[in-house]
Amino acid sequence: MKHEAITRAALAVLLSLLPSCATKQEPLLEQRLLAEFAEAYPTASNPNGIVRSFDITAAEVELPLLDGKPLRVWTYNGQVPGPELRVRLGETVRVRFTNRLPQPTTIHWHGVRVPNDMDGVPTQSRPAIKPGESFVYEFTPKDAGTFWFHPHIRSSEQVERGLFGVLIVEDPAPPAYSRDVVWVVDDWLLGQDGQIVPAFNTRHDLAHDGRWGNHVTVNGRTNEVLALRPGERIRLRIVNVANGRVFAPDFGGLAAKIVAVDGLYVRTSFDASGFELAPGNRIDVDLMAGSAGAAVSIEDRFLRSRPRRLAEIRVAGDPVETPRFEPPTRRTVPAWTAGSEVPVHAELALDARRGGPFGIEWTINGVAFQGHESATGHTGIPLVQGQFNHLRFANHSARLHPIHLHGMFFRVLTRNGRAVEEPFFRDTVLVHPRETVDVGVVPVDEGSWMLHCHILEHAEAGMMTMLEVGSANGATPGHTKH
């Protein structure tokens, strides 16, 4: 199924953001890249008048998680993972959020292009929500896809304690899968008492790839089993909410194709096994059940010498008729094969040094942006709304860094100078040790948007900065208008 192309109205909005692209001063190459982007995805939301209201409360509870033993966790609505919010594209999301935790918190809508003041980043737009206080988040998603939500203050602790949930924005006419299934993959570091180790942002975690747990779970369980009937065709949405662990799911020979990455449909589907699912990443997998009697162990093979079981898929029962349709794709994802020829707009050097409140600081271009307090007076990276930008992430360290951008999607152009053919957009890319990754991005929404490492300990120790998106007329970046 070909995904619905951008509407003429939305295309007109994009063209209105590009007043200079028809002038002689605009390089021909950049005009070409912008023309490729023009139908990539909607530039504006299209509210249909329907409002979906949800109540979410963050509080500490005890639940039978992992292997069924009681675990003290922080939850949204008393459950881990938190509630699965489902809406249709065009519907407005209204969340009445109440904080019953002993710390201030927020909700960040990871991957959702929301108004700037709904992004959940404290000091960027609105203050954090104090214990006992409430706040209403309201926005109309611009994109259908798989997204998630989590705190954006003291995230390395609050997410690790269990604060995460999933937001599914369905297509107006969803593909006719037999079922739509969500797997939230995570890991937990438990002590000998069977509880979450309460030491956060340790020197060990900061000096390595963040906090990696000793228990891997799917939907909060270590023994997840997905029972399918022969002939079923499912949409399996996989979300990595771990603080630092990267997963590379192996589907054991099942027919499994990725049809969406980080929420957006790909140009062409491709084999799902081995995709590096870094913290923050999501994939939507078009998966066909095997024959009756099949039992397939789905394993994580990111650490090849130490594969870990994620879940099991068992096929049993009477067969059902398999839904027949072309995998959902978006043929308008730009190729941007010449994107790396555009001069680099900004290079972001990723590195570490001694110092700071944790003893180790993680930096971008030599600056540690810690705990959001640096937002005031911090000099961010200026980007012009509606223009193609070539960004470079240069990892000078020996550690992994999944770089996540708020408020926009991007395409990987090169790794270590070599062209990469990824037929999809991302909001998070894993940058390997000593690796350089170049990306192309056209920011659509004005405002101050975060860019940070999604290894939450690295972000907490300073690996964050701001992207300041201003209009082409030179106006100072501000909050995105509703």
Side-chain angles (χ1 to χ4, degrees):
M1 183 190 77
K2 181 177 180 180
H3 190 277
E4 184 180 6
I6 190 170
T7 65
R8 291 187 178 183
L11 179 58
V13 172
L14 175 64
L15 294 176
S16 73
L17 301 178
L18 312 176
S20 64
C21 75
T23 69
K24 294 181 180 179
Q25 289 144 357
E26 183 75 15
L28 181 60
L29 173 57
E30 294 185 35
Q31 288 186 45
R32 238 173 47 224
L33 296 172
L34 287 172
E36 285 186 61
F37 177 77
E39 296 187 5
Y41 49 75
T43 60
S45 60
N46 186 23
N48 60 16
I50 298 174
V51 177
R52 300 294 181 191
S53 295
F54 306 92
D55 289 290
I56 294 180
T57 299
E60 182 175 17
V61 301
E62 189 171 79
L63 294 175
L65 293 172
L66 282 70
D67 55 3
K69 295 178 182 177
L71 186 67
R72 291 189 298 275
V73 288
W74 291 6
T75 69
Y76 292 130
N77 289 2
Q79 62 186 80
V80 175
E84 182 182 302
L85 311 183
R86 280 188 180 259
V87 300
R88 288 284 176 95
L89 188 64
E91 296 177 345
T92 295
V93 177
R94 180 180 294 156
V95 173
R96 293 181 288 267
F97 175 67
T98 301
N99 180 13
R100 301 294 183 199
L101 300 171
Q103 298 175 3
T105 191
T106 68
I107 294 182
H108 165 60
W109 307 94
H110 184 117
V112 187
R113 293 189 291 147
V114 298
N116 210 173
D117 61 352
M118 293 288 117
D119 200 38
V121 176
T123 71
Q124 169 204 319
S125 52
R126 295 183 184 273
I129 303 160
K130 297 178 181 178
E133 292 186 345
S134 298
F135 179 73
V136 176
Y137 291 95
E138 185 168 331
F139 52 89
T140 305
K142 299 179 180 181
D143 310 290
T146 304
F147 308 102
W148 65 296
F149 54 95
H150 63 83
H152 219 287
I153 180 173
R154 299 184 67 162
S155 304
S156 56
E157 176 182 355
Q158 295 189 8
V159 174
E160 176 68 7
R161 289 187 183 274
L163 286 175
F164 45 81
V166 176
L167 170 63
I168 304 299
V169 182
E170 297 179 336
D171 294 291
Y177 286 102
S178 306
R179 273 190 284 165
D180 191 315
V181 179
V182 176
W183 278 0
V184 177
V185 296
D186 194 9
D187 66 346
W188 304 76
L189 184 61
L190 303 187
Q192 292 184 348
D193 61 354
Q195 298 301 313
I196 296 170
V197 173
F200 298 98
N201 304 310
T202 65
R203 287 182 68 89
H204 175 275
D205 295 344
L206 289 168
H208 293 82
D209 298 319
R211 179 167 166 138
W212 288 48
N214 48 19
H215 292 72
V216 170
T217 61
V218 173
N219 296 338
R221 296 183 289 271
T222 57
N223 57 350
E224 178 74 2
V225 175
L226 175 59
L228 301 179
R229 295 170 65 183
E232 278 199 283
R233 180 180 181 182
I234 70 167
R235 181 176 190 153
L236 179 60
R237 304 175 189 259
I238 307 179
V239 184
N240 182 2
V241 304
N243 276 30
R245 184 182 291 272
V246 182
F247 296 90
D250 181 344
F251 288 88
L254 288 175
K257 298 286 187 181
I258 291 178
V259 294
V261 174
D262 288 351
L264 299 188
Y265 285 120
V266 303
R267 190 190 323 120
T268 54
S269 61
F270 57 95
D271 185 70
S273 286
F275 186 92
E276 291 184 341
L277 199 68
N281 276 142
R282 292 89 64 211
I283 53 174
D284 289 25
V285 180
D286 187 324
L287 188 145
M288 303 285 289
S291 56
V296 179
S297 178
I298 310 302
E299 294 189 335
D300 164 35
R301 296 188 180 275
F302 180 72
L303 299 178
R304 296 184 182 275
S305 62
R306 286 182 287 166
R308 281 180 174 264
R309 179 188 180 279
L310 291 177
E312 187 174 279
I313 294 179
R314 298 175 186 170
V315 184
D318 296 329
V320 299
E321 185 175 351
T322 301
R324 303 293 180 185
F325 54 86
E326 287 298 311
T329 56
R330 177 174 267 132
R331 302 296 181 185
T332 55
V333 174
W336 279 352
T337 53
S340 59
E341 298 175 20
V342 174
V344 175
H345 178 78
E347 179 168 329
L348 295 90
L350 314 176
D351 211 344
R353 66 188 178 206
R354 294 180 180 178
F358 307 120
I360 296 175
E361 291 182 318
W362 282 100
T363 64
I364 295 179
N365 291 342
V367 177
F369 187 114
Q370 290 173 333
H372 300 94
E373 285 82 2
S374 300
T376 303
H378 178 80
T379 301
I381 299 169
L383 301 179
V384 177
Q385 182 185 30
Q387 290 190 3
F388 179 88
N389 293 271
H390 178 182
L391 303 181
R392 174 170 293 162
F393 308 128
N395 186 359
H396 298 301
S397 77
R399 310 317 313 181
L400 299 167
H401 298 298
I403 299 300
H404 171 55
L405 275 62
H406 290 208
M408 61 197 79
F409 297 101
F410 59 86
R411 274 217 51 207
V412 174
L413 305 174
T414 67
R415 287 183 181 268
N416 292 329
R418 294 186 178 183
V420 172
E421 173 46 35
E422 288 192 348
F424 50 85
F425 283 100
R426 293 175 171 270
D427 61 42
T428 306
V429 62
L430 183 62
V431 185
H432 289 260
R434 314 296 182 192
E435 185 179 44
T436 296
V437 175
D438 287 25
V439 307
V441 59
V442 177
V444 171
D445 299 302
E446 284 190 74
S448 297
W449 303 101
M450 291 218 75
L451 178 156
H452 64 92
C453 179
H454 220 285
I455 288 177
L456 300 179
E457 289 75 23
H458 291 179
E460 198 71 21
M463 191 167 276
M464 300 189 283
T465 190
M466 304 300 296
L467 299 174
E468 304 287 355
V469 180
S471 62
N473 63 13
T476 301
H479 296 165
T480 301
K481 297 180 177 61
H482 289 262

